[in-house]
Amino acid sequence: MHNSRGNKDVDFEINLLPVLSVLSICICFLLTTTVWNRMGYLEINQAIGDQLPTSGKNPDSIIIKLLKNGNLDLEWRTDENSSAALQKTILATHSGTFLFNEKLKIELLHFIKNATQKASSLKTVLVLPEVGVPYGETIHMIDELKKLSLDIGLGPAVEGLALGGRS
Amino acid sequence: MNHSPLLSQSYLFPKNKAAKKKNTGLIITSLVDAFSILVIYLLFGPSISGEAVNPEMNIQLPIAYASQLTDNETTIKVKNKLYYLQNEVLTSAQLGPALKKLALVMQAQNKSIKAPAINLKNETKGVENSKIFDKSMAIKKSKINEKSLVIIADKNGGIEDINPILIAASEAGMTQLRLAVEHQGE
């Protein structure tokens, strides 16, 4: 009899309810404060100003000029000195600012497909934006080009790029 | 008569008197375990899977699908014509010297990363089929993630905001750059 009472005193349980409450509060706090957006990157090369001693003849490339009026100037150059092998200006559907919409995307991808069919070695695309082109739209276009496994070169934004183009 | 232990545990129809009197509490130990695991994941998970942009900077990254995840890279943030190279605030005039210093550090880091690939070539001198060897070397080299500068800029800003970085990086001999995006790929 005495023995069984003694066992009852020893057999105790830790109250886990406060622990559960604390953990619940911790989870709620962490869920609301955690940043879920993960940062990634798009790898690009410098389009101009290569100071490497190994730099020789430029490879065949497509030059894409992003104009602030919304147009896209495309040129496929096989040689620096010769005229463009293929040239096209994609007109914007609306004026005001550059917006890489579905129409520009389809026409740009069609142009690149045409050029790469004629020259399979063509893997380089140079992106030359004009001052005033939104950064987000430029990245949107580079993202689409990256899906084609092309090497992207980005040049610094310049003023008056449209004057040199055919728009 | 002996009753099965399972039936004696029943709340609705317990088969013995002792079980009726028994006060069975809710077992919350497993729940505490699950909650603990959840807390540990929330504390360390996001920092492991990818770097997050400092929310205080209020920079909205552009969304991209063909991107790769960053892995503790050197970042430069652009906000209000000021450049934040890690924790140092720079003007466009100070960018050139700062990036030249950084380029030297990165070159040294990239050399140390490339070292195992060079040793591998020495170890496999006996390989007769050079084509297979070249192919495996190319795969090994492509897996090596070289350190590079990641540019963090707001998607609503102009492309000219990153002009000073492109020019300074070009002068410093950085031919490859990385543009930070909000990763939407797998």
Side-chain angles (χ1 to χ4, degrees), chain B residues 132-146:
Chain B
I132 294 169
F133 173 73
D134 289 345
K135 201 175 176 183
S136 67
M137 280 295 289
I139 293 163
K140 286 264 178 193
K141 279 183 180 175
S142 68
K143 281 179 182 173
I144 295 166
N145 189 18
E146 286 190 13

Side-chain angles (χ1 to χ4, degrees), chain A residues 15-148:
Chain A
N15 190 6
L16 287 172
L17 275 174
V19 181
L20 202 66
S21 306
V22 170
L23 284 172
S24 307
I25 290 162
C26 277
I27 288 168
C28 291
F29 171 75
L30 289 168
L31 277 174
T32 48
T33 55
T34 304
V35 181
W36 292 101
N37 297 338
R38 290 188 298 169
M39 196 172 86
Y41 66 84
L42 291 171
E43 191 141 8
I44 55 146
N45 297 310
Q46 295 268 22
I48 54 168
D50 186 354
Q51 292 184 338
L52 286 174
T54 52
S55 42
K57 185 185 171 287
N58 285 335
D60 294 359
S61 55
I62 293 171
I63 300 167
I64 304 173
K65 291 177 185 171
L66 283 72
L67 309 178
K68 67 178 173 188
N69 62 9
N71 293 354
L72 210 57
D73 245 14
L74 309 172
E75 272 181 30
W76 168 30
R77 286 192 178 275
T78 50
D79 190 3
E80 268 181 68
N81 301 321
S82 68
S83 58
L86 206 62
Q87 215 169 29
K88 189 181 180 181
T89 299
I90 304 171
L91 297 172
T93 46
H94 69 287
S95 59
T97 182
F98 181 85
L99 185 69
F100 189 69
N101 54 21
E102 202 62 26
K103 185 216 170 207
L104 287 188
K105 180 184 157 184
I106 291 166
E107 290 197 40
L108 171 68
L109 297 183
H110 185 253
F111 181 89
I112 291 171
K113 198 180 168 187
N114 265 349
T116 47
Q117 273 177 354
K118 287 173 185 168
S120 56
S121 62
L122 187 60
K123 286 281 174 197
T124 309
V125 174
L126 302 179
V127 179
L128 303 176
E130 192 176 11
V131 171
V133 171
Y135 177 74
E137 295 300 320
T138 313
I139 294 291
H140 186 191
M141 198 193 73
I142 290 173
D143 186 36
E144 290 299 331
L145 297 172
K146 275 278 176 192
K147 287 176 188 170
L148 303 173

